Amino acid sequence: MAVPQTNGAKPKTGIKVIIVGAGFGGLTAAIECVRQGHSPVIYEAFPSLKILGDIISFGPNAGRIFARWKDGEIARAMRKVSIDLTAYGFNIHKWDTGEVVINQKTPPKNDETPVFNGHRGELHEIVFKYAKELGVEIVLNQRVGNYWETENAAGITLEDGTRVEGDVVVGSDGVRSKARTLVLGYEDKPKSSGYAVWRSWFSNKDMIADPETKQFCENGDTFNGWIGPDVHFLFSTLKGGSDCCWVLTHKDEHDIDESWSFPGKLSEVKDVLKDWDPMCTKIISKTPEEKLVDWKLVYRDPLPTWVSGYGSAPGHGRICLLGDSAHPFLPTSAQGATQALEDGVTLAVLLRKAGKDNIRGGLRAYQDVRYERVSKVQKTGETTRDMWHNTDWEKVKKNPESIQFPREDWIFAHDAEKHAEEVGDEIIAKASTSVDQQA
Ligand SMILES: Cc1cc2nc3c(=O)[nH]c(=O)nc-3n(C[C@H](O)[C@H](O)[C@H](O)COP(=O)(O)OP(=O)(O)OC[C@H]3O[C@@H](n4cnc5c(N)ncnc54)[C@H](O)[C@@H]3O)c2cc1C
């Protein structure tokens, strides 16, 4: 079944969807709700749109979603600020000698399934503005204090006490989700994954001035990774080499109860890299310390449910979790934001198919369609990290392809919208029967 490339004007469904959080998950859910005929409104705690974060990745399965927006105009805008590795590929180095064991080629460009790696804040701004352009109401500076639902409605309470009512509430409020506690009926705290990343994004000023590092900045975009025991260091230059960005994953057992993003210390990074290829320390030493972030990687076991009133969860089946609030990812999957997008697309299609009178069936079907796939993709973050951190270099010598970043068809070729269109009716019918059995 062909899926339209633009915003097909579907008949209005009369479903008011309240979305909490204007991250990529919430914004995509809202845009897709408009495409499917619903009426979304977003509540976001941030007082204004800010260019926050550093590198973020969207795989081809996300590119397919962006490419359908505004006749491809949104994807073209994202392309302009994203890395272009057509010529350079990905150089994978052995951690100590620095030798390049393989140059992983970049797959040919495909306008239907583009790939984007760029600054999170810049890409986010493009999506945010598109949601506004579509007429999505985005209410900033409103921290949602509580969620509520009845048989016939669901809503939120803002911190100033204002109650907002709709048909569905989507808790896309990120890894520190409040919605999660409400949906589950208990507080599920994230655990430390045992790893953290230091990450930074800065201008190439010092890098290009140094004869040893200017190679990364003078001929366009580059991507290099050094793989070692329990550590990997990924370094890119973007925007024709004018911006530099690196991410270093390393062991870290710190308690992440209170916060997991701190200012980083360059001396600690250098310490971890002391026996590594000296080029790594060279790159690190070009980093302005105030641009260094120490980001603890949180992990949680898959939640038993993402939907209120489903399985063991209390409630009436009108509140759901989406994106990081339902399933945080490790960066080594490079799929966290992409899976949040797939959630939003799937939810919007299934709500249209289920209709205003069967919200519970629609939300249950959303979980049933998404749950297994997301859990499997989540696992790839661990398997890639462990594959890299436990590399047998003798084996890699014989088979250098074995160390490449995995590009798996079952993840990348997935078309979330087409899939929801194809399986939606049957899964909604099954999920609706389970609603009736519980009622
Ligand atoms: C500031 C920031 C910087 C990030 N930087 C990076 C990065 O550099 N690289 C990377 O790979 N990933 C980054 N991420 C995470 C990445 O955006 C997500 O993993 C992914 O896009 C999934 O998005 P999400 O919409 O599920 O969650 P998020 O992107 O975390 O969005 C959740 C949103 O909900 C809002 N929110 C939370 N609680 C409430 C509340 N009670 N009321 C109203 N609003 C609320 C938050 O302010 C946030 O905007 C960042 C996230 C944030 C919020």
Side-chain angles (χ1 to χ4, degrees), residues 147-316:
Y147 295 68
W148 56 267
E149 60 181 330
T150 65
E151 275 284 308
N152 303 312
I156 53 174
T157 311
L158 305 178
E159 282 194 333
D160 67 4
T162 311
R163 267 166 77 92
V164 185
E165 182 174 319
D167 300 295
V168 181
V169 177
V170 178
S172 43
D173 53 348
V175 76
R176 274 176 278 189
S177 170
K178 192 159 188 164
R180 182 168 49 228
T181 305
L182 187 113
V183 164
L184 293 176
Y186 61 88
E187 192 171 354
D188 175 271
K189 288 208 168 169
K191 302 184 244 179
S192 162
S193 66
Y195 287 88
V197 289
W198 283 300
R199 50 196 308 157
S200 190
W201 183 296
F202 50 95
S203 134
N204 76 1
K205 214 164 38 64
D206 291 346
M207 195 81 72
I208 200 152
D210 184 331
E212 280 191 67
T213 50
K214 72 173 184 185
Q215 52 170 311
F216 299 114
C217 309
E218 59 188 354
N219 295 314
D221 297 350
T222 66
F223 185 27
N224 287 270
W226 283 257
I227 309 299
D230 276 335
V231 177
H232 64 272
F233 173 57
L234 302 177
F235 169 59
S236 347
T237 54
L238 309 90
K239 300 192 186 168
S242 67
D243 283 9
C244 306
C245 162
W246 59 262
V247 177
L248 188 151
T249 302
H250 62 106
K251 284 260 186 204
D252 186 311
E253 300 291 346
H254 278 97
D255 188 4
I256 40 84
D257 212 28
E258 292 302 319
S259 172
W260 50 85
S261 179
F262 306 90
K265 289 201 184 95
L266 282 174
S267 57
E268 289 181 7
V269 185
K270 286 180 183 163
D271 206 35
V272 166
L273 294 177
K274 67 180 179 322
D275 299 323
W276 283 50
D277 173 13
M279 181 56 81
C280 300
T281 306
K282 255 287 165 198
I283 294 167
I284 298 293
S285 61
K286 308 292 180 207
T287 311
E289 191 152 41
E290 70 278 8
K291 301 268 182 180
L292 180 63
V293 173
D294 179 0
W295 179 287
K296 312 295 180 199
L297 293 179
V298 300
Y299 178 81
R300 58 178 76 246
D301 295 323
L303 302 180
T305 179
W306 307 345
V307 175
S308 68
Y310 199 16
S312 55
H316 297 279

Side-chain angles (χ1 to χ4, degrees), residues 17-33 38 40 42 65 147 168-181 183 300 303 305-308 318-329 335-351 362-363 366-367 370-371 374 378:
V17 184
I18 298 173
I19 296 170
V20 182
F24 282 104
L27 289 172
T28 302
I31 291 166
E32 293 293 327
C33 278
H38 317 310
I42 302 182
I65 295 166
Y147 295 68
V168 181
V169 177
V170 178
S172 43
D173 53 348
V175 76
R176 274 176 278 189
S177 170
K178 192 159 188 164
R180 182 168 49 228
T181 305
V183 164
R300 58 178 76 246
L303 302 180
T305 179
W306 307 345
V307 175
S308 68
R318 289 176 174 271
I319 303 177
C320 69
L321 305 175
L322 182 146
D324 279 2
S325 69
H327 44 69
F329 274 68
Q335 276 281 317
T338 298
Q339 292 302 311
L341 260 67
E342 286 191 0
D343 284 354
V345 169
T346 308
L347 177 69
V349 170
L350 296 176
L351 280 175
L363 290 198
Y366 153 70
Q367 173 174 317
R370 294 290 301 145
Y371 194 88
V374 170
Q378 254 175 322

Side-chain angles (χ1 to χ4, degrees), residues 372-389:
E372 201 183 318
R373 173 171 168 78
V374 170
S375 306
K376 262 176 82 183
V377 182
Q378 254 175 322
K379 276 271 160 221
T380 64
E382 284 173 69
T383 48
T384 301
R385 179 196 66 200
D386 294 346
M387 181 263 285
W388 275 351
H389 288 185

